[in-house]
Amino acid sequence: MDKSFHPLLSDSLIRQSVAYYDEHGNYHQRALAHYYYSVFFRDTNCQPEMLHELLLADFNLSKTHDERLKSMIDYYIGQVYFNNGLYDKALPFFTNALKCAEDINDTIVYIEVVEELSAVQTYMGEIGLAKNNLRIAENLSRQIKYDQGLAISYLYLSRLYRRNGEYSQALDYARKSFFVDTEVSKHLRTYFMGLTMHLNGMNDSAKVYLNQALCHDYYIDSDCYALLADIYKEEGNLALSVKYEKLFSEYIDSLNNAKIDVSVSEVEHEYILMSNRERQLRTYIVIGVSILVCISVLVFLFLWWRKQKNIRVKWLS
């Protein structure tokens, strides 16, 4: 976003800044530049490009020190992996981000990371750990009166109970999340209201909330359309069911998740190659320096030997 908090439509300006810092900046400046470039791709939902910039930021930051920036980079790398269903890859980045948040003693960052870590644990079937982390996030949010953290804690608890088949409790926490006074994730919280109401047999109310949740977000809208298609199919309204099924299919085609997965793998491969090149360069430098030292020692020994030989020759003569 620009200074007026309007989403940027082009990366032309920030791309020039990143190129400048790549050429003239130090490692910390390069890390910051690539991190901010990743924010542009996050806002435009270009996840492979976002991951690419985050990995470059992480690569440059590894040569300097900034715990706060490190926590943010790891947090968003974890989110990219989580959004693409790569939970085993997301877990270590959220864990690292949590440690950084503890080190810098930032409660808000800690809450947000704990919530995302619990989401990964939920999808990996570690329900007990996820529930415990969400209780921690909920209590901390209450203590510091952080409404955004409280809303997300309730939302993720709703998802946890839903995935565990406890639909009544899922609806209770969806309601709690929905009525927290914050604009954060408003459409997602509205979608959860519709989803949990549907699971509890309240289809009329579910349809109202699902239509309210539509917000031109590919992920939320596609889920809303899929659920509306199922509801109308259950009610025997095939015309509306087909309509929403078609809208759902169009959104899924736009998301093109398979391509995202492939692109993420390509970005990782590029990052590994870059890291290997860096290690190879360091190895060559060490070898080169070692050779120069050995040559210098040999030259010194030769000169010393020749000097000693000349001294002996003079002494004998």
Side-chain angles (χ1 to χ4, degrees):
M1 294 187 178
D2 62 16
K3 291 182 179 180
S4 301
F5 298 97
H6 296 131
L8 294 173
L9 301 178
S10 171
D11 66 339
S12 57
L13 292 177
I14 191 169
R15 188 171 65 245
Q16 293 176 29
S17 300
V18 172
Y20 173 82
Y21 284 114
D22 274 342
E23 185 173 354
H24 302 288
N26 57 37
Y27 285 119
H28 188 263
Q29 290 171 328
R30 293 177 197 172
L32 270 175
H34 285 287
Y35 169 73
Y36 286 126
Y37 201 9
S38 77
V39 173
F40 167 80
F41 289 120
R42 184 188 73 203
D43 291 343
T44 53
N45 198 31
C46 299
Q47 294 200 27
E49 291 83 359
M50 176 184 172
L51 179 62
H52 179 262
E53 295 305 319
L54 287 169
L55 289 175
L56 286 174
D58 192 47
F59 178 78
N60 283 287
L61 194 63
S62 66
K63 304 175 187 302
T64 180
H65 184 78
D66 186 336
E67 288 292 306
R68 184 174 297 278
L69 182 57
K70 175 65 174 172
S71 69
M72 296 167 71
I73 290 171
D74 284 345
Y75 174 79
Y76 284 114
I77 291 175
Q79 275 203 335
V80 172
Y81 284 132
F82 176 77
N83 290 338
N84 286 281
L86 304 171
Y87 308 125
D88 56 332
K89 292 185 177 181
L91 187 61
F93 284 100
F94 283 133
T95 304
N96 290 339
L98 190 64
K99 182 180 180 302
C100 292
E102 289 176 337
D103 291 342
I104 62 177
N105 197 29
D106 190 318
T107 305
I108 289 180
V109 173
Y110 183 86
I111 289 169
E112 292 178 352
V113 176
V114 164
E115 288 170 342
E116 296 305 319
L117 180 60
S118 73
V120 174
Q121 291 166 338
T122 298
Y123 280 95
M124 294 181 73
E126 298 173 351
I127 301 299
L129 286 174
K131 190 181 295 186
N132 183 59
N133 280 329
L134 287 171
R135 294 299 185 197
I136 292 171
E138 178 187 351
N139 292 332
L140 286 174
S141 298
R142 285 183 182 280
Q143 289 174 20
I144 65 172
K145 297 181 180 180
Y146 183 43
D147 287 341
Q148 176 179 333
L150 194 60
I152 298 301
S153 295
Y154 288 150
L155 188 69
Y156 287 5
L157 278 166
S158 174
R159 177 167 57 192
L160 184 150
Y161 284 115
R162 173 173 58 84
R163 290 184 64 83
N164 211 33
E166 301 173 64
Y167 299 141
S168 178
Q169 285 182 287
L171 178 56
D172 288 342
Y173 278 102
R175 283 194 176 115
K176 286 182 178 181
S177 177
F178 183 77
F179 288 111
V180 174
D181 187 19
T182 178
E183 290 296 312
V184 172
S185 302
K186 181 179 179 180
H187 292 282
L188 182 61
R189 290 186 287 139
T190 306
Y191 164 72
F192 267 59
M193 282 289 287
L195 173 60
T196 52
M197 283 185 168
H198 167 62
L199 293 172
N200 283 276
M202 304 163 63
N203 282 347
D204 289 337
S205 297
K207 287 185 287 187
V208 173
Y209 281 106
L210 290 171
N211 279 293
Q212 289 178 357
L214 297 171
C215 58
H216 303 293
D217 179 287
Y218 282 113
Y219 293 97
I220 294 175
D221 287 7
S222 62
D223 287 342
C224 286
Y225 289 141
L227 194 50
L228 284 167
D230 289 342
I231 290 172
Y232 282 116
K233 187 176 181 180
E234 289 176 10
E235 294 177 346
N237 192 333
L238 296 181
L240 282 176
S241 177
V242 169
K243 172 189 171 182
Y244 284 111
E245 186 68 39
K246 183 179 179 181
L247 289 169
F248 167 71
S249 299
E250 290 174 356
Y251 267 70
I252 288 298
D253 290 342
S254 298
L255 283 170
N256 201 0
N257 285 323
K259 184 177 180 181
I260 289 176
D261 290 340
V262 171
S263 298
V264 166
S265 299
E266 290 172 350
V267 169
E268 289 175 328
H269 180 65
E270 181 181 341
Y271 176 70
I272 291 169
L273 289 177
M274 182 178 64
S275 300
N276 288 339
R277 285 195 297 270
E278 180 78 9
R279 282 194 292 270
Q280 286 175 351
L281 180 60
R282 287 199 298 266
T283 302
Y284 293 150
I285 290 172
V286 170
I287 292 172
V289 170
S290 300
I291 290 172
L292 288 174
V293 169
C294 289
I295 292 172
S296 299
V297 169
L298 289 172
V299 169
F300 172 79
L301 290 173
F302 173 75
L303 293 174
W304 179 83
W305 172 79
R306 192 168 67 175
K307 182 179 179 181
Q308 294 299 316
K309 181 181 177 182
N310 290 336
I311 291 172
R312 283 198 300 273
V313 168
K314 287 180 181 180
W315 182 78
L316 290 172
S317 63

